[in-house]
Amino acid sequence: MKFIRFFNDISLDDISIVGGKNASIGQMITNLSKKGILIPQGFATTAEAYWYFLEHNKLQNPIKAELKKLKNYKNIKLLHEVGSSIRSLISSGSMPRDLEDEIIKAYKKLSAEYKQKDCDVAVRSSATAEDLPGASFAGQQETFLNISGDREIVESCKKCMASLFTDRALVYRNEKGFEHFKVALSVGVQKMVRSDLACAGVIFTIDTETGFDKALIIESSYGLGESVVKGTVVPDEFCVYKPTLKEGFEPIISRHCGSKKKKLIYTKSGKDSVRSVSVDAKAREHFSLSSDEILCLGKIGVEIEDYYSVLYKKYTPMDIEWAKDGIDKKIYVVQARPETVHSIKSKSPEVKTFKLDVSSERLKSKIITTGQSIGSAIEIGKAFVVDSVEQARKAKEDDIIITKMTTPDWVPIIKKVRAIITEQGGRTCHAAIVSRELSIPAIIGAKDAFSKIKQNEKITINCSLGETGYIYRGHIPFSVKLQQFKAKVKTPVEVMVNLSDPAAAFNNSFLPVDGVGL
């Protein structure tokens, strides 16, 4: 077929043809399946298919005309108008008959492989500039879940192509210096894992906040993995110590039970293919993974990280999405990409210290609520409490947004405000990833923040004290000190750090010392 590549015929050499996401899946199927890592099969439309679709519908000039209107990417209203117009142009286009026939033929072949008439698939976008150092493109395009049937597959492919021009994708490419017409959209069609009957989540093979490379973070929640990725739930979080895991031990350092109030499941009929439902109160109190499953995911993460580190000839921490099938009870990897924040940071030892200039006793009385801190910084601003992206577009530069959750559509807004606070989500959700990349502090999973913080109230957020982020009433003065260290001095004995807070251990391990002793 001219416009289709099956995953087992794809490798990382094909990023320009099928995008980073699809190329990585193909690379893993070919090289890691033999090591016992399970990856669902599928196929991808090529970049050539995308350009062919635009040419068939004579869309290049109309799209370029719309993009010329976008002089200022901070103009949220204009950005939304241009993005909507371009997406409408693509969505209303017709799929060329020969391309449509190939998509249907490939889908029939995939269904036959799984011994189903019309198998359930995830239809994902994979841009040809994805997963490059410093640019994760996380959540910039759309994903459609539990899609089945010829017509539905073709329509979802078209929607994916249109999503190359979401508001957040336009801003992100502009921010990262990618020209819009030098990026194409490959569509990945992958067999779904029935995690709607079990659980799913994310693995980061590096500590997401400090960059400590000996820790592996797993987040998990019931249902389809989009709930964790998009931050619509507060997931369970587990930390595993990689060196002793490799030695055959069972080093689960920590477990935190998330609230897991909602889960995403299949819809049997109706307009939507998936829906969000409440999780049983008793199930919320239990961890979504057993110890054996945590260790299994830890080993999968280490195996993938080691493989890509050898492949790229340098240490390459990974961002991995996984899903447990509720029918066969097996764990699958559905995608993996290099981590794009800590992996490109300078490793020269330096410490930026933030300190609130108020006594700890006075601070206690000012605490509104707490959550998981993203970014080791303090920020002050005016509370802008919103419950939709439409309202959030009115945010100003000195605002701190407070909301129940964000989606990838919030990227242009996150970029311009002081900080962001959400009631839901975990350290690996989309809002957290984007906040790190944009160096904007955030507090994720802050309980009752939406109701406790008043509109236009002056607030201070403190993400500098470890994994817990604090939100205070009022603007509290603070100081910042940057210390840079020379290479570690040789000493006749090991010099260790002694800490009162275990959460600070990872960060302090980067000082010119031999480790954290206590």
Side-chain angles (χ1 to χ4, degrees):
M1 289 186 278
K2 184 179 179 183
F3 301 109
I4 300 291
R5 292 280 191 92
F6 276 86
F7 287 159
N8 53 352
D9 294 324
I10 294 170
S11 73
L12 286 172
D13 293 332
D14 300 311
I15 288 178
S16 64
I17 298 171
V18 296
K21 191 180 296 177
N22 290 332
S24 185
I25 293 171
Q27 186 80 23
M28 288 191 296
I29 285 176
T30 302
N31 296 281
L32 294 176
S33 295
K34 56 186 124 181
K35 296 190 176 184
I37 295 176
L38 304 174
I39 302 124
Q41 281 286 359
F43 62 89
T45 64
T46 63
E48 185 182 356
Y50 169 78
W51 297 122
Y52 180 47
F53 176 88
L54 294 190
E55 182 183 337
H56 175 79
N57 290 281
K58 297 180 170 55
L59 292 177
Q60 294 214 26
N61 288 335
I63 291 173
K64 286 178 180 177
E66 287 296 318
L67 290 172
K68 280 184 180 178
K69 298 177 185 176
L70 198 54
K71 305 292 184 186
N72 180 8
Y73 283 79
K74 291 185 179 180
N75 185 332
I76 303 297
K77 185 174 181 292
L78 179 61
L79 173 70
H80 185 61
E81 288 173 359
V82 169
S84 295
S85 177
I86 296 174
R87 293 193 299 274
S88 179
L89 284 169
I90 297 173
S91 297
S92 58
S94 62
M95 189 69 77
R97 175 53 66 87
D98 50 348
L99 175 55
E100 180 175 315
D101 288 345
E102 285 196 10
I103 292 170
I104 293 171
K105 182 180 176 184
Y107 174 61
K108 293 295 186 190
K109 182 178 178 181
L110 181 64
S111 296
E113 184 174 338
Y114 283 94
K115 297 179 172 59
Q116 296 178 9
K117 182 178 181 292
D118 290 318
C119 72
D120 50 332
V121 296
V123 182
R124 302 179 187 274
S125 309
S126 179
T128 56
E130 275 186 339
D131 305 329
L132 302 176
S136 71
F137 282 76
Q140 297 311 302
Q141 287 87 39
E142 300 291 358
T143 292
F144 303 93
L145 303 175
N146 187 25
I147 305 299
S148 61
D150 298 352
R151 293 293 101 208
E152 290 77 7
I153 298 294
V154 172
E155 279 304 306
S156 295
C157 286
K158 202 161 61 168
K159 289 176 186 176
C160 275
M161 291 179 181
S163 75
L164 187 61
F165 294 94
T166 58
D167 299 0
R168 70 250 188 191
L170 288 167
V171 169
Y172 198 86
R173 286 197 294 274
N174 180 66
E175 173 73 15
K176 295 296 181 180
F178 291 96
E179 292 183 30
H180 298 301
F181 266 84
K182 288 192 175 178
V183 178
L185 198 288
S186 166
V187 180
V189 178
Q190 186 177 35
K191 176 69 177 72
M192 286 281 287
V193 175
R194 291 303 303 268
S195 60
D196 61 310
L197 304 174
C199 59
V202 176
I203 306 168
F204 270 79
T205 64
I206 192 170
D207 181 59
T208 50
E209 291 316 301
T210 65
F212 182 67
D213 60 5
K214 294 178 176 60
L216 177 146
I217 305 296
I218 299 166
E219 288 197 337
S220 171
S221 193
Y222 301 120
L224 301 175
E226 289 291 291
S227 298
V228 176
V229 174
K230 290 188 174 179
T232 57
V233 294
V234 178
D236 295 333
E237 182 181 297
F238 311 97
C239 184
V240 177
Y241 190 65
K242 293 189 292 186
T244 43
L245 179 70
K246 291 181 178 181
E247 293 173 14
F249 294 96
E250 300 181 356
I252 301 173
I253 295 174
S254 63
R255 311 170 199 246
H256 296 286
C257 192
S259 57
K260 307 183 295 293
K261 292 181 180 179
K262 297 279 187 179
K263 66 177 179 179
L264 206 59
I265 63 169
Y266 278 24
T267 299
K268 292 181 180 177
S269 60
K271 181 182 176 184
D272 296 321
S273 56
V274 296
R275 64 190 174 101
S276 180
V277 298
S278 296
V279 174
D280 176 74
K282 196 170 183 180
R284 296 178 199 173
E285 297 173 1
H286 291 274
F287 288 114
S288 51
L289 291 171
S290 67
S291 293
D292 286 346
E293 288 169 337
I294 294 166
L295 294 168
C296 173
L297 285 165
K299 291 171 185 174
I300 287 171
V302 166
E303 193 76 65
I304 293 174
E305 179 185 78
D306 286 349
Y307 173 76
Y308 277 86
S309 295
V310 170
L311 186 70
Y312 289 129
K313 298 179 181 177
K314 66 175 183 176
Y315 172 60
T316 306
M318 299 296 291
D319 168 359
I320 302 160
E321 291 182 30
W322 61 270
K324 178 186 174 182
D325 195 298
I327 297 173
D328 66 19
K329 311 301 181 186
K330 295 177 181 178
I331 291 175
Y332 294 80
V333 170
V334 294
Q335 60 175 287
R337 59 165 70 92
E339 189 270 349
T340 55
V341 177
H342 295 291
S343 58
I344 62 169
K345 280 187 176 178
S346 168
K347 298 301 179 185
S348 60
E350 65 176 38
V351 175
K352 185 181 281 189
T353 306
F354 291 79
K355 184 181 179 182
L356 289 167
D357 300 330
V358 174
S359 70
S360 57
E361 286 304 312
R362 279 190 62 196
L363 283 175
K364 284 181 183 178
S365 66
K366 291 177 175 289
I367 294 174
I368 303 173
T369 187
T370 63
Q372 290 184 305
S373 64
I374 308 297
S376 301
I378 296 174
E379 191 57 85
I380 61 174
K382 187 174 65 174
F384 188 49
V385 185
V386 294
D387 60 7
S388 70
V389 69
E390 286 74 23
Q391 293 175 353
R393 290 192 179 106
K394 298 175 184 176
K396 297 177 181 176
E397 291 182 3
D398 62 344
D399 286 338
I400 294 177
I401 285 183
I402 296 91
T403 189
K404 291 185 178 179
M405 65 175 181
T406 67
T407 67
D409 289 319
W410 290 67
V411 170
I413 299 138
I414 294 173
K415 180 175 168 15
K416 79 172 187 177
V417 297
R418 292 281 180 90
I420 189 159
I421 299 167
T422 70
E423 279 194 341
Q424 300 168 357
R427 289 201 290 161
T428 64
C429 74
H430 171 266
I433 292 172
V434 170
S435 293
R436 287 187 202 100
E437 285 194 11
L438 298 176
S439 298
I440 292 170
I443 295 181
I444 306 296
K447 188 176 180 182
D448 299 326
F450 196 72
S451 58
K452 287 183 176 180
I453 301 173
K454 298 173 184 176
Q455 190 71 273
N456 297 320
E457 181 179 12
K458 291 180 178 179
I459 58 173
T460 300
I461 75 165
N462 187 359
C463 297
S464 70
L465 298 176
E467 62 185 29
T468 300
Y470 295 84
I471 305 163
Y472 305 100
R473 295 200 189 282
H475 284 178
I476 301 172
F478 65 94
S479 56
V480 184
K481 183 179 180 182
L482 179 65
Q483 288 180 292
Q484 291 184 313
F485 297 92
K486 296 178 181 178
K488 179 181 175 298
V489 177
K490 288 185 178 181
T491 54
V493 293
E494 288 188 334
V495 178
M496 302 278 194
V497 179
N498 191 0
L499 300 169
S500 60
D501 180 10
F506 291 169
N507 204 33
N508 282 277
S509 70
F510 291 107
L511 295 171
V513 294
D514 292 296
V516 177
L518 183 64

